[in-house]
Amino acid sequence: MRPDEHERVALELEKVIRDTQTTIDQAEAHGLDKIMHDDYDRLLDILDRSIKRQREHTLAMLKDDS
């Protein structure tokens, strides 16, 4: 991938991260994290994987830019 493609993916992942964090915050505010364990765990997994992938793309972008 070219650096600009890595940047585009990292920015899209930022949207996923923000949206997922908002959903997690809302779930916690309504107590859904306690009654819908599996769904809450899936949200945490999405957040974790998105953050890791964003980091990979950011590092690749910086590496290609040097």
Side-chain angles (χ1 to χ4, degrees):
M1 292 180 105
R2 296 185 324 252
D4 63 315
E5 293 172 317
H6 284 295
E7 182 178 16
R8 182 184 55 78
V9 172
L11 291 172
E12 288 297 321
L13 285 164
E14 181 63 31
K15 292 177 190 175
V16 171
I17 291 165
R18 279 192 315 241
D19 290 347
T20 304
Q21 186 61 60
T22 298
T23 303
I24 289 170
D25 293 343
Q26 291 171 348
E28 290 172 348
H30 292 93
L32 298 177
D33 56 320
K34 294 178 179 65
I35 60 174
M36 299 179 74
H37 303 287
D38 291 340
D39 293 330
Y40 184 73
D41 286 344
R42 282 189 209 113
L43 286 171
L44 294 176
D45 187 49
I46 291 168
L47 183 62
D48 182 58
R49 285 184 288 135
S50 297
I51 290 170
K52 287 176 182 174
R53 288 182 179 154
Q54 183 188 45
R55 182 177 186 275
E56 290 169 5
H57 282 282
T58 300
L59 291 173
M61 178 180 61
L62 294 173
K63 179 182 173 191
D64 290 343
D65 204 32
S66 357

